[in-house]
Amino acid sequence: MLPLIKGILLGPPDHPVTVRGWVRTKRDMKNLVFVEVHDGSSFKGIQCTFDSTALDEGTLALLGDLNTGAAVEVQGLLQSSPGAGQALEVAAQALKVLGPAPAEPKDGEPPYPLQKKRHSMEFLREIAHLRPRTNTFGAVTRVRNRLSYAVHQFFQDRSFQYIHTPIITASDGEGAGSMFQVTTLDLAALAKSGKEPDYSQDFFGRWTGLAVSGQLEAEAYAAALTRVYTFGPTFRAENSHTTRHLSEFWMIEPEVAFADLEDNMALGEDFLKFLFKTILTDCQEDLEFFDTHVEKGLIKTLESVAEARFTHMTYTDAIKELEKAGPFEFKPYWGCDIQTEHERYLAETVAQGPLVVTDYPKEIKAFYMKLNDDKKTVRAMDILVPRLGEIIGGSQREEDYSKLQSRIIQLGMNPEDYRWYLDLRRYGTMPHAGFGLGFERLIQYVTGMANIRDVIPFPRSPGQAEF
Ligand code: 4AD
Ligand code: MG
C-alpha cells in the first residue's frame, strides 16, 4: 500500500513521492497548474503543482481535461511550498488519471454532482454515497472513527468486558412498543386469506423484532462478569421526524453490578469527558473546521465541559425551574415528560452546560428502573446537553424480584415474555446500574452538526432507506 497523504505531509521534503487520491480543485496561474488531491486520511489534501512549460503533450492534455472528483496518481518531488496555506507540496512530474469525473454531461451520463461550491446538507443527503468526498463528511467520518476507538479504550482500560447482544430479539428492551418486526411469514398471502398470523409458525416459533436496546441481555452478563458494555446498532420504529432521531442508530450501553445511581452518574460523566478530551487532542484539524464553518465556539465549549463538574438536579427541581421560566410550547407540570424544548432550556440556560437530571416519575420511565422509597419516582438519570437535550439515558435497575414482577404486570406486559429477565432477580440478584449513550447524538454534540442524519454514513429515518 502506498503511503497516505497524512503521512506524506509529515515530510521530510526533497524526496520523490507518489500520491493517489481524488482531485478536489484545479487552479491555473500563468504557467502553473495547482491540483489539490485528497485521500481522506487527513482534513488537508496535498497541493500538486504542475509547471506546464516542462510537461509533454500527453500530460498537458490530461491536465487540461482534469476535473474535480477524478481519481489520480501524481508522481513528483515533495518540497517546501513557496505558497501560503501549506508547508509542503509536490512538484509534479507525471500524472495518471485512474478514473475521470466529467464536469459536463458525457455520452448520455450525468456529470459528477459535487462541484467546487458549497452544497446544502439536504442535497448531500440525496447523494449519500458521494458525500464522504466533501470536507464536512470527511471530518465527521474521522471524528466518528476516533470516538468509536475511544469508547473501547475507555471501557477496556477499566476492565469492562465487551459483549455482543442480539440484534434479532423477542424482548422489547424498553417496553415501549416501537420495535420493527422480523418475520418470514407470507404476510401478503395471510392478508388475502383473511387469517391472523400465527407466530408459532414463524421462523423463530414466536414473534421477533429488531432490538431497541441491548440492555436486558447486558444485565445478564453484568450479573456474572460485573462490568460489561455493548456497542452496537439499535432500531426504533418511532415515527419521529426530528433532527435528533434515527430509526437505526448506534448505542453504547455499560452495565455494572454492585453499582448504584451515584456510581452510574460518575461513570457517565467520566466517559463523556474522556471522549471530549480524546477528540480535542486527536482530531484538531477536523474540530477547527467545525468551529469555523459549523458551530462557532465549539472548541472552547468542549474544552470547558471536559473540565467542569456536571450540574446535578432532581426531576422535581427541574420542573420547578421550568415552571418559573417559559413560555414553552408545552406547559411543564410535575409528571409530564420533559420535552426537548425543556431539556434545552435546562441545559442551556439553567446549567449552561451538561446537566444530570435524576429521579423521574415512574410513569414516564421504563419498567426496569428501581423504585425510590417515595414509591412515586425511580432511580433514573438522563444527561442533557445544550443544543440537543438528552444524550445519555440510564438508571439503577430494580433488583427486587417481586417489585419488578408487579411493575411488569401493572404495565400490562406479559411476565412470561420476561421470564428469563426475572430469573436474574430470582437467583443471585444484586444492585446494578447502567446507561445508554446515543453515539450519533454524541457526534452531533462534538461536531455541532445540526441534523443527526448527517453524522451517520447512511441514515435510516421514516420514509428513507435508500443506499
Ligand atoms: O433513553 P434510551 O431509550 O435508553 C435505553 O435504551 C436504555 N436501555 C439505556 C440503558 O440504560 N442501557 O436511549 C439511550 C440513548 C438516548 O439518551 C439517546 O442518546 C439515544 O440513546 N437515542 C437515540 N438516538 C438517535 N435516534 C433515536 N431514535 C434515539 N433514541 C434514543
Ligand atoms: Mg431516554
PDB file of all heavy atoms in Angstrom, residues 396-429:
ATOM      1  N   GLN A 396     -30.465   3.128  37.839  1.00  0.00           N
ATOM      2  CA  GLN A 396     -30.220   1.951  38.655  1.00  0.00           C
ATOM      3  C   GLN A 396     -31.396   1.031  38.386  1.00  0.00           C
ATOM      4  O   GLN A 396     -32.533   1.488  38.191  1.00  0.00           O
ATOM      5  CB  GLN A 396     -30.142   2.334  40.136  1.00  0.00           C
ATOM      6  CG  GLN A 396     -29.792   1.142  41.022  1.00  0.00           C
ATOM      7  CD  GLN A 396     -29.484   1.538  42.456  1.00  0.00           C
ATOM      8  OE1 GLN A 396     -29.188   2.705  42.740  1.00  0.00           O
ATOM      9  NE2 GLN A 396     -29.549   0.578  43.361  1.00  0.00           N
ATOM     10  N   ARG A 397     -31.154  -0.283  38.334  1.00  0.00           N
ATOM     11  CA  ARG A 397     -32.215  -1.221  37.958  1.00  0.00           C
ATOM     12  C   ARG A 397     -32.930  -1.759  39.196  1.00  0.00           C
ATOM     13  O   ARG A 397     -32.315  -1.883  40.262  1.00  0.00           O
ATOM     14  CB  ARG A 397     -31.635  -2.394  37.160  1.00  0.00           C
ATOM     15  CG  ARG A 397     -30.545  -2.061  36.163  1.00  0.00           C
ATOM     16  CD  ARG A 397     -30.955  -0.991  35.169  1.00  0.00           C
ATOM     17  NE  ARG A 397     -29.929  -0.825  34.112  1.00  0.00           N
ATOM     18  CZ  ARG A 397     -29.970   0.095  33.174  1.00  0.00           C
ATOM     19  NH1 ARG A 397     -30.935   1.002  33.169  1.00  0.00           N
ATOM     20  NH2 ARG A 397     -29.046   0.164  32.244  1.00  0.00           N
ATOM     21  N   GLU A 398     -34.185  -2.126  39.014  1.00  0.00           N
ATOM     22  CA  GLU A 398     -34.926  -2.756  40.116  1.00  0.00           C
ATOM     23  C   GLU A 398     -34.354  -4.156  40.309  1.00  0.00           C
ATOM     24  O   GLU A 398     -34.430  -4.978  39.406  1.00  0.00           O
ATOM     25  CB  GLU A 398     -36.416  -2.823  39.763  1.00  0.00           C
ATOM     26  CG  GLU A 398     -37.273  -3.394  40.874  1.00  0.00           C
ATOM     27  CD  GLU A 398     -37.105  -2.620  42.176  1.00  0.00           C
ATOM     28  OE1 GLU A 398     -37.693  -1.515  42.294  1.00  0.00           O
ATOM     29  OE2 GLU A 398     -36.363  -3.111  43.068  1.00  0.00           O
ATOM     30  N   GLU A 399     -33.757  -4.411  41.504  1.00  0.00           N
ATOM     31  CA  GLU A 399     -33.174  -5.740  41.691  1.00  0.00           C
ATOM     32  C   GLU A 399     -34.097  -6.660  42.494  1.00  0.00           C
ATOM     33  O   GLU A 399     -33.817  -7.849  42.642  1.00  0.00           O
ATOM     34  CB  GLU A 399     -31.787  -5.644  42.353  1.00  0.00           C
ATOM     35  CG  GLU A 399     -31.788  -5.511  43.862  1.00  0.00           C
ATOM     36  CD  GLU A 399     -31.582  -4.077  44.353  1.00  0.00           C
ATOM     37  OE1 GLU A 399     -31.937  -3.123  43.626  1.00  0.00           O
ATOM     38  OE2 GLU A 399     -31.058  -3.923  45.481  1.00  0.00           O
ATOM     39  N   ASP A 400     -35.215  -6.083  42.980  1.00  0.00           N
ATOM     40  CA  ASP A 400     -36.135  -6.856  43.802  1.00  0.00           C
ATOM     41  C   ASP A 400     -37.124  -7.618  42.918  1.00  0.00           C
ATOM     42  O   ASP A 400     -37.866  -7.014  42.137  1.00  0.00           O
ATOM     43  CB  ASP A 400     -36.869  -5.895  44.748  1.00  0.00           C
ATOM     44  CG  ASP A 400     -37.816  -6.629  45.674  1.00  0.00           C
ATOM     45  OD1 ASP A 400     -38.950  -6.940  45.244  1.00  0.00           O
ATOM     46  OD2 ASP A 400     -37.404  -6.911  46.812  1.00  0.00           O
ATOM     47  N   TYR A 401     -37.145  -8.932  43.085  1.00  0.00           N
ATOM     48  CA  TYR A 401     -37.960  -9.779  42.213  1.00  0.00           C
ATOM     49  C   TYR A 401     -39.438  -9.372  42.215  1.00  0.00           C
ATOM     50  O   TYR A 401     -40.026  -9.132  41.166  1.00  0.00           O
ATOM     51  CB  TYR A 401     -37.813 -11.251  42.635  1.00  0.00           C
ATOM     52  CG  TYR A 401     -38.735 -12.167  41.868  1.00  0.00           C
ATOM     53  CD1 TYR A 401     -38.428 -12.569  40.578  1.00  0.00           C
ATOM     54  CD2 TYR A 401     -39.929 -12.624  42.436  1.00  0.00           C
ATOM     55  CE1 TYR A 401     -39.271 -13.390  39.862  1.00  0.00           C
ATOM     56  CE2 TYR A 401     -40.784 -13.448  41.726  1.00  0.00           C
ATOM     57  CZ  TYR A 401     -40.462 -13.822  40.436  1.00  0.00           C
ATOM     58  OH  TYR A 401     -41.309 -14.627  39.730  1.00  0.00           O
ATOM     59  N   SER A 402     -40.021  -9.273  43.421  1.00  0.00           N
ATOM     60  CA  SER A 402     -41.474  -9.051  43.425  1.00  0.00           C
ATOM     61  C   SER A 402     -41.843  -7.644  42.965  1.00  0.00           C
ATOM     62  O   SER A 402     -42.857  -7.448  42.297  1.00  0.00           O
ATOM     63  CB  SER A 402     -42.093  -9.387  44.783  1.00  0.00           C
ATOM     64  OG  SER A 402     -41.320  -8.841  45.789  1.00  0.00           O
ATOM     65  N   LYS A 403     -41.007  -6.665  43.287  1.00  0.00           N
ATOM     66  CA  LYS A 403     -41.301  -5.299  42.802  1.00  0.00           C
ATOM     67  C   LYS A 403     -41.235  -5.247  41.281  1.00  0.00           C
ATOM     68  O   LYS A 403     -42.080  -4.609  40.637  1.00  0.00           O
ATOM     69  CB  LYS A 403     -40.304  -4.291  43.386  1.00  0.00           C
ATOM     70  CG  LYS A 403     -40.571  -3.934  44.841  1.00  0.00           C
ATOM     71  CD  LYS A 403     -39.644  -2.804  45.254  1.00  0.00           C
ATOM     72  CE  LYS A 403     -39.704  -2.580  46.754  1.00  0.00           C
ATOM     73  NZ  LYS A 403     -38.520  -1.853  47.239  1.00  0.00           N
ATOM     74  N   LEU A 404     -40.242  -5.900  40.714  1.00  0.00           N
ATOM     75  CA  LEU A 404     -40.109  -5.877  39.254  1.00  0.00           C
ATOM     76  C   LEU A 404     -41.277  -6.616  38.598  1.00  0.00           C
ATOM     77  O   LEU A 404     -41.872  -6.141  37.625  1.00  0.00           O
ATOM     78  CB  LEU A 404     -38.771  -6.512  38.835  1.00  0.00           C
ATOM     79  CG  LEU A 404     -38.486  -6.512  37.333  1.00  0.00           C
ATOM     80  CD1 LEU A 404     -38.430  -5.090  36.768  1.00  0.00           C
ATOM     81  CD2 LEU A 404     -37.161  -7.216  37.026  1.00  0.00           C
ATOM     82  N   GLN A 405     -41.627  -7.754  39.175  1.00  0.00           N
ATOM     83  CA  GLN A 405     -42.727  -8.536  38.614  1.00  0.00           C
ATOM     84  C   GLN A 405     -44.042  -7.733  38.662  1.00  0.00           C
ATOM     85  O   GLN A 405     -44.775  -7.683  37.684  1.00  0.00           O
ATOM     86  CB  GLN A 405     -42.877  -9.849  39.378  1.00  0.00           C
ATOM     87  CG  GLN A 405     -43.814 -10.812  38.691  1.00  0.00           C
ATOM     88  CD  GLN A 405     -44.185 -11.958  39.607  1.00  0.00           C
ATOM     89  OE1 GLN A 405     -44.346 -11.767  40.816  1.00  0.00           O
ATOM     90  NE2 GLN A 405     -44.293 -13.145  39.035  1.00  0.00           N
ATOM     91  N   SER A 406     -44.293  -7.076  39.806  1.00  0.00           N
ATOM     92  CA  SER A 406     -45.565  -6.336  39.861  1.00  0.00           C
ATOM     93  C   SER A 406     -45.569  -5.158  38.892  1.00  0.00           C
ATOM     94  O   SER A 406     -46.594  -4.825  38.306  1.00  0.00           O
ATOM     95  CB  SER A 406     -45.965  -5.880  41.271  1.00  0.00           C
ATOM     96  OG  SER A 406     -44.891  -5.746  42.087  1.00  0.00           O
ATOM     97  N   ARG A 407     -44.397  -4.559  38.689  1.00  0.00           N
ATOM     98  CA  ARG A 407     -44.333  -3.441  37.723  1.00  0.00           C
ATOM     99  C   ARG A 407     -44.657  -3.940  36.304  1.00  0.00           C
ATOM    100  O   ARG A 407     -45.396  -3.281  35.559  1.00  0.00           O
ATOM    101  CB  ARG A 407     -42.919  -2.829  37.750  1.00  0.00           C
ATOM    102  CG  ARG A 407     -42.803  -1.543  36.979  1.00  0.00           C
ATOM    103  CD  ARG A 407     -43.460  -0.376  37.703  1.00  0.00           C
ATOM    104  NE  ARG A 407     -43.524   0.813  36.858  1.00  0.00           N
ATOM    105  CZ  ARG A 407     -44.612   1.547  36.651  1.00  0.00           C
ATOM    106  NH1 ARG A 407     -45.748   1.238  37.253  1.00  0.00           N
ATOM    107  NH2 ARG A 407     -44.576   2.597  35.880  1.00  0.00           N
ATOM    108  N   ILE A 408     -44.125  -5.093  35.965  1.00  0.00           N
ATOM    109  CA  ILE A 408     -44.374  -5.664  34.635  1.00  0.00           C
ATOM    110  C   ILE A 408     -45.872  -5.940  34.457  1.00  0.00           C
ATOM    111  O   ILE A 408     -46.466  -5.601  33.423  1.00  0.00           O
ATOM    112  CB  ILE A 408     -43.517  -6.943  34.436  1.00  0.00           C
ATOM    113  CG1 ILE A 408     -42.041  -6.545  34.265  1.00  0.00           C
ATOM    114  CG2 ILE A 408     -43.993  -7.785  33.254  1.00  0.00           C
ATOM    115  CD1 ILE A 408     -41.058  -7.697  34.171  1.00  0.00           C
ATOM    116  N   ILE A 409     -46.494  -6.493  35.497  1.00  0.00           N
ATOM    117  CA  ILE A 409     -47.933  -6.801  35.416  1.00  0.00           C
ATOM    118  C   ILE A 409     -48.760  -5.512  35.348  1.00  0.00           C
ATOM    119  O   ILE A 409     -49.634  -5.365  34.497  1.00  0.00           O
ATOM    120  CB  ILE A 409     -48.357  -7.686  36.615  1.00  0.00           C
ATOM    121  CG1 ILE A 409     -47.654  -9.048  36.498  1.00  0.00           C
ATOM    122  CG2 ILE A 409     -49.880  -7.859  36.680  1.00  0.00           C
ATOM    123  CD1 ILE A 409     -47.767  -9.925  37.729  1.00  0.00           C
ATOM    124  N   GLN A 410     -48.399  -4.563  36.247  1.00  0.00           N
ATOM    125  CA  GLN A 410     -49.096  -3.257  36.258  1.00  0.00           C
ATOM    126  C   GLN A 410     -49.123  -2.605  34.889  1.00  0.00           C
ATOM    127  O   GLN A 410     -50.100  -1.975  34.499  1.00  0.00           O
ATOM    128  CB  GLN A 410     -48.308  -2.295  37.157  1.00  0.00           C
ATOM    129  CG  GLN A 410     -48.946  -1.906  38.439  1.00  0.00           C
ATOM    130  CD  GLN A 410     -47.947  -1.046  39.244  1.00  0.00           C
ATOM    131  OE1 GLN A 410     -47.135  -0.293  38.684  1.00  0.00           O
ATOM    132  NE2 GLN A 410     -48.022  -1.177  40.563  1.00  0.00           N
ATOM    133  N   LEU A 411     -48.028  -2.732  34.162  1.00  0.00           N
ATOM    134  CA  LEU A 411     -47.920  -2.062  32.862  1.00  0.00           C
ATOM    135  C   LEU A 411     -48.567  -2.865  31.744  1.00  0.00           C
ATOM    136  O   LEU A 411     -48.485  -2.493  30.571  1.00  0.00           O
ATOM    137  CB  LEU A 411     -46.457  -1.785  32.532  1.00  0.00           C
ATOM    138  CG  LEU A 411     -45.824  -0.674  33.389  1.00  0.00           C
ATOM    139  CD1 LEU A 411     -44.329  -0.630  33.205  1.00  0.00           C
ATOM    140  CD2 LEU A 411     -46.437   0.690  33.052  1.00  0.00           C
ATOM    141  N   GLY A 412     -49.210  -3.983  32.118  1.00  0.00           N
ATOM    142  CA  GLY A 412     -49.904  -4.783  31.116  1.00  0.00           C
ATOM    143  C   GLY A 412     -48.973  -5.572  30.209  1.00  0.00           C
ATOM    144  O   GLY A 412     -49.353  -5.989  29.113  1.00  0.00           O
ATOM    145  N   MET A 413     -47.721  -5.738  30.668  1.00  0.00           N
ATOM    146  CA  MET A 413     -46.783  -6.552  29.891  1.00  0.00           C
ATOM    147  C   MET A 413     -46.938  -8.006  30.331  1.00  0.00           C
ATOM    148  O   MET A 413     -47.424  -8.268  31.428  1.00  0.00           O
ATOM    149  CB  MET A 413     -45.343  -6.065  30.124  1.00  0.00           C
ATOM    150  CG  MET A 413     -45.130  -4.623  29.667  1.00  0.00           C
ATOM    151  SD  MET A 413     -43.783  -3.780  30.529  1.00  0.00           S
ATOM    152  CE  MET A 413     -42.374  -4.709  29.977  1.00  0.00           C
ATOM    153  N   ASN A 414     -46.507  -8.930  29.484  1.00  0.00           N
ATOM    154  CA  ASN A 414     -46.668 -10.338  29.802  1.00  0.00           C
ATOM    155  C   ASN A 414     -45.445 -10.872  30.561  1.00  0.00           C
ATOM    156  O   ASN A 414     -44.361 -10.974  29.984  1.00  0.00           O
ATOM    157  CB  ASN A 414     -46.868 -11.111  28.491  1.00  0.00           C
ATOM    158  CG  ASN A 414     -47.091 -12.587  28.728  1.00  0.00           C
ATOM    159  OD1 ASN A 414     -47.120 -13.033  29.877  1.00  0.00           O
ATOM    160  ND2 ASN A 414     -47.245 -13.332  27.651  1.00  0.00           N
ATOM    161  N   PRO A 415     -45.592 -11.210  31.857  1.00  0.00           N
ATOM    162  CA  PRO A 415     -44.433 -11.659  32.644  1.00  0.00           C
ATOM    163  C   PRO A 415     -43.755 -12.880  32.019  1.00  0.00           C
ATOM    164  O   PRO A 415     -42.549 -13.068  32.192  1.00  0.00           O
ATOM    165  CB  PRO A 415     -45.017 -12.023  34.010  1.00  0.00           C
ATOM    166  CG  PRO A 415     -46.388 -11.489  34.034  1.00  0.00           C
ATOM    167  CD  PRO A 415     -46.845 -11.268  32.631  1.00  0.00           C
ATOM    168  N   GLU A 416     -44.511 -13.688  31.286  1.00  0.00           N
ATOM    169  CA  GLU A 416     -43.937 -14.869  30.634  1.00  0.00           C
ATOM    170  C   GLU A 416     -42.836 -14.456  29.634  1.00  0.00           C
ATOM    171  O   GLU A 416     -41.810 -15.111  29.523  1.00  0.00           O
ATOM    172  CB  GLU A 416     -45.074 -15.653  29.947  1.00  0.00           C
ATOM    173  CG  GLU A 416     -44.780 -17.092  29.633  1.00  0.00           C
ATOM    174  CD  GLU A 416     -43.892 -17.824  30.658  1.00  0.00           C
ATOM    175  OE1 GLU A 416     -44.146 -17.761  31.887  1.00  0.00           O
ATOM    176  OE2 GLU A 416     -42.907 -18.444  30.203  1.00  0.00           O
ATOM    177  N   ASP A 417     -43.067 -13.324  28.945  1.00  0.00           N
ATOM    178  CA  ASP A 417     -42.059 -12.832  27.993  1.00  0.00           C
ATOM    179  C   ASP A 417     -40.774 -12.389  28.704  1.00  0.00           C
ATOM    180  O   ASP A 417     -39.729 -12.265  28.074  1.00  0.00           O
ATOM    181  CB  ASP A 417     -42.598 -11.616  27.217  1.00  0.00           C
ATOM    182  CG  ASP A 417     -43.702 -11.996  26.247  1.00  0.00           C
ATOM    183  OD1 ASP A 417     -43.851 -13.212  25.974  1.00  0.00           O
ATOM    184  OD2 ASP A 417     -44.423 -11.086  25.779  1.00  0.00           O
ATOM    185  N   TYR A 418     -40.880 -12.072  29.984  1.00  0.00           N
ATOM    186  CA  TYR A 418     -39.721 -11.562  30.734  1.00  0.00           C
ATOM    187  C   TYR A 418     -39.239 -12.580  31.768  1.00  0.00           C
ATOM    188  O   TYR A 418     -38.576 -12.220  32.729  1.00  0.00           O
ATOM    189  CB  TYR A 418     -40.059 -10.211  31.389  1.00  0.00           C
ATOM    190  CG  TYR A 418     -40.307  -9.146  30.336  1.00  0.00           C
ATOM    191  CD1 TYR A 418     -41.578  -8.956  29.798  1.00  0.00           C
ATOM    192  CD2 TYR A 418     -39.255  -8.393  29.829  1.00  0.00           C
ATOM    193  CE1 TYR A 418     -41.791  -8.016  28.790  1.00  0.00           C
ATOM    194  CE2 TYR A 418     -39.464  -7.454  28.825  1.00  0.00           C
ATOM    195  CZ  TYR A 418     -40.739  -7.276  28.310  1.00  0.00           C
ATOM    196  OH  TYR A 418     -40.950  -6.356  27.311  1.00  0.00           O
ATOM    197  N   ARG A 419     -39.606 -13.844  31.534  1.00  0.00           N
ATOM    198  CA  ARG A 419     -39.261 -14.900  32.490  1.00  0.00           C
ATOM    199  C   ARG A 419     -37.749 -14.947  32.724  1.00  0.00           C
ATOM    200  O   ARG A 419     -37.286 -14.931  33.854  1.00  0.00           O
ATOM    201  CB  ARG A 419     -39.775 -16.242  31.957  1.00  0.00           C
ATOM    202  CG  ARG A 419     -39.682 -17.408  32.924  1.00  0.00           C
ATOM    203  CD  ARG A 419     -40.065 -18.725  32.257  1.00  0.00           C
ATOM    204  NE  ARG A 419     -39.548 -18.827  30.883  1.00  0.00           N
ATOM    205  CZ  ARG A 419     -38.279 -19.096  30.561  1.00  0.00           C
ATOM    206  NH1 ARG A 419     -37.388 -19.314  31.497  1.00  0.00           N
ATOM    207  NH2 ARG A 419     -37.905 -19.148  29.291  1.00  0.00           N
ATOM    208  N   TRP A 420     -36.992 -14.959  31.646  1.00  0.00           N
ATOM    209  CA  TRP A 420     -35.531 -15.062  31.801  1.00  0.00           C
ATOM    210  C   TRP A 420     -34.967 -13.837  32.510  1.00  0.00           C
ATOM    211  O   TRP A 420     -34.046 -13.925  33.324  1.00  0.00           O
ATOM    212  CB  TRP A 420     -34.848 -15.303  30.454  1.00  0.00           C
ATOM    213  CG  TRP A 420     -34.893 -14.122  29.493  1.00  0.00           C
ATOM    214  CD1 TRP A 420     -35.814 -13.887  28.535  1.00  0.00           C
ATOM    215  CD2 TRP A 420     -33.967 -13.027  29.433  1.00  0.00           C
ATOM    216  NE1 TRP A 420     -35.545 -12.715  27.867  1.00  0.00           N
ATOM    217  CE2 TRP A 420     -34.409 -12.168  28.393  1.00  0.00           C
ATOM    218  CE3 TRP A 420     -32.813 -12.677  30.139  1.00  0.00           C
ATOM    219  CZ2 TRP A 420     -33.732 -10.986  28.051  1.00  0.00           C
ATOM    220  CZ3 TRP A 420     -32.144 -11.500  29.796  1.00  0.00           C
ATOM    221  CH2 TRP A 420     -32.603 -10.668  28.770  1.00  0.00           C
ATOM    222  N   TYR A 421     -35.561 -12.660  32.226  1.00  0.00           N
ATOM    223  CA  TYR A 421     -35.080 -11.413  32.830  1.00  0.00           C
ATOM    224  C   TYR A 421     -35.385 -11.421  34.343  1.00  0.00           C
ATOM    225  O   TYR A 421     -34.564 -10.987  35.160  1.00  0.00           O
ATOM    226  CB  TYR A 421     -35.759 -10.243  32.130  1.00  0.00           C
ATOM    227  CG  TYR A 421     -35.268  -8.874  32.549  1.00  0.00           C
ATOM    228  CD1 TYR A 421     -33.966  -8.467  32.308  1.00  0.00           C
ATOM    229  CD2 TYR A 421     -36.129  -7.973  33.187  1.00  0.00           C
ATOM    230  CE1 TYR A 421     -33.519  -7.207  32.682  1.00  0.00           C
ATOM    231  CE2 TYR A 421     -35.703  -6.705  33.561  1.00  0.00           C
ATOM    232  CZ  TYR A 421     -34.393  -6.329  33.303  1.00  0.00           C
ATOM    233  OH  TYR A 421     -33.960  -5.085  33.682  1.00  0.00           O
ATOM    234  N   LEU A 422     -36.551 -11.967  34.691  1.00  0.00           N
ATOM    235  CA  LEU A 422     -36.913 -12.067  36.109  1.00  0.00           C
ATOM    236  C   LEU A 422     -36.017 -13.073  36.840  1.00  0.00           C
ATOM    237  O   LEU A 422     -35.733 -12.915  38.033  1.00  0.00           O
ATOM    238  CB  LEU A 422     -38.390 -12.449  36.248  1.00  0.00           C
ATOM    239  CG  LEU A 422     -39.364 -11.287  35.974  1.00  0.00           C
ATOM    240  CD1 LEU A 422     -40.771 -11.805  35.678  1.00  0.00           C
ATOM    241  CD2 LEU A 422     -39.394 -10.296  37.147  1.00  0.00           C
ATOM    242  N   ASP A 423     -35.536 -14.098  36.116  1.00  0.00           N
ATOM    243  CA  ASP A 423     -34.584 -15.057  36.708  1.00  0.00           C
ATOM    244  C   ASP A 423     -33.358 -14.358  37.299  1.00  0.00           C
ATOM    245  O   ASP A 423     -32.793 -14.801  38.290  1.00  0.00           O
ATOM    246  CB  ASP A 423     -34.082 -16.040  35.632  1.00  0.00           C
ATOM    247  CG  ASP A 423     -34.904 -17.314  35.589  1.00  0.00           C
ATOM    248  OD1 ASP A 423     -35.844 -17.452  36.408  1.00  0.00           O
ATOM    249  OD2 ASP A 423     -34.602 -18.174  34.735  1.00  0.00           O
ATOM    250  N   LEU A 424     -32.949 -13.274  36.654  1.00  0.00           N
ATOM    251  CA  LEU A 424     -31.762 -12.555  37.138  1.00  0.00           C
ATOM    252  C   LEU A 424     -32.004 -12.010  38.543  1.00  0.00           C
ATOM    253  O   LEU A 424     -31.064 -11.766  39.290  1.00  0.00           O
ATOM    254  CB  LEU A 424     -31.385 -11.414  36.179  1.00  0.00           C
ATOM    255  CG  LEU A 424     -31.174 -11.796  34.711  1.00  0.00           C
ATOM    256  CD1 LEU A 424     -30.940 -10.553  33.856  1.00  0.00           C
ATOM    257  CD2 LEU A 424     -29.999 -12.766  34.572  1.00  0.00           C
ATOM    258  N   ARG A 425     -33.282 -11.800  38.894  1.00  0.00           N
ATOM    259  CA  ARG A 425     -33.645 -11.347  40.252  1.00  0.00           C
ATOM    260  C   ARG A 425     -33.971 -12.540  41.151  1.00  0.00           C
ATOM    261  O   ARG A 425     -33.932 -12.432  42.374  1.00  0.00           O
ATOM    262  CB  ARG A 425     -34.875 -10.430  40.203  1.00  0.00           C
ATOM    263  CG  ARG A 425     -34.577  -8.989  39.842  1.00  0.00           C
ATOM    264  CD  ARG A 425     -34.194  -8.826  38.400  1.00  0.00           C
ATOM    265  NE  ARG A 425     -33.961  -7.432  38.043  1.00  0.00           N
ATOM    266  CZ  ARG A 425     -33.421  -7.037  36.910  1.00  0.00           C
ATOM    267  NH1 ARG A 425     -33.038  -7.918  36.014  1.00  0.00           N
ATOM    268  NH2 ARG A 425     -33.240  -5.754  36.666  1.00  0.00           N
ATOM    269  N   ARG A 426     -34.353 -13.675  40.550  1.00  0.00           N
ATOM    270  CA  ARG A 426     -34.640 -14.879  41.335  1.00  0.00           C
ATOM    271  C   ARG A 426     -33.369 -15.459  41.920  1.00  0.00           C
ATOM    272  O   ARG A 426     -33.348 -15.985  43.005  1.00  0.00           O
ATOM    273  CB  ARG A 426     -35.253 -15.945  40.419  1.00  0.00           C
ATOM    274  CG  ARG A 426     -36.742 -16.018  40.472  1.00  0.00           C
ATOM    275  CD  ARG A 426     -37.234 -17.260  39.723  1.00  0.00           C
ATOM    276  NE  ARG A 426     -38.585 -17.021  39.287  1.00  0.00           N
ATOM    277  CZ  ARG A 426     -38.939 -16.732  38.031  1.00  0.00           C
ATOM    278  NH1 ARG A 426     -38.046 -16.711  37.064  1.00  0.00           N
ATOM    279  NH2 ARG A 426     -40.189 -16.473  37.745  1.00  0.00           N
ATOM    280  N   TYR A 427     -32.306 -15.381  41.123  1.00  0.00           N
ATOM    281  CA  TYR A 427     -31.059 -16.045  41.505  1.00  0.00           C
ATOM    282  C   TYR A 427     -29.917 -15.031  41.577  1.00  0.00           C
ATOM    283  O   TYR A 427     -29.564 -14.428  40.576  1.00  0.00           O
ATOM    284  CB  TYR A 427     -30.696 -17.123  40.476  1.00  0.00           C
ATOM    285  CG  TYR A 427     -31.853 -18.021  40.109  1.00  0.00           C
ATOM    286  CD1 TYR A 427     -32.313 -18.093  38.811  1.00  0.00           C
ATOM    287  CD2 TYR A 427     -32.481 -18.802  41.092  1.00  0.00           C
ATOM    288  CE1 TYR A 427     -33.365 -18.913  38.473  1.00  0.00           C
ATOM    289  CE2 TYR A 427     -33.543 -19.625  40.761  1.00  0.00           C
ATOM    290  CZ  TYR A 427     -33.994 -19.678  39.445  1.00  0.00           C
ATOM    291  OH  TYR A 427     -35.040 -20.483  39.111  1.00  0.00           O
ATOM    292  N   GLY A 428     -29.356 -14.879  42.758  1.00  0.00           N
ATOM    293  CA  GLY A 428     -28.153 -14.059  42.922  1.00  0.00           C
ATOM    294  C   GLY A 428     -28.340 -12.614  42.499  1.00  0.00           C
ATOM    295  O   GLY A 428     -27.461 -12.014  41.874  1.00  0.00           O
ATOM    296  N   THR A 429     -29.467 -12.020  42.867  1.00  0.00           N
ATOM    297  CA  THR A 429     -29.705 -10.625  42.479  1.00  0.00           C
ATOM    298  C   THR A 429     -28.780  -9.680  43.259  1.00  0.00           C
ATOM    299  O   THR A 429     -28.282 -10.031  44.341  1.00  0.00           O
ATOM    300  CB  THR A 429     -31.191 -10.257  42.664  1.00  0.00           C
ATOM    301  OG1 THR A 429     -31.443  -8.996  42.029  1.00  0.00           O
ATOM    302  CG2 THR A 429     -31.575 -10.146  44.141  1.00  0.00           C
TER     303      THR A 429
END
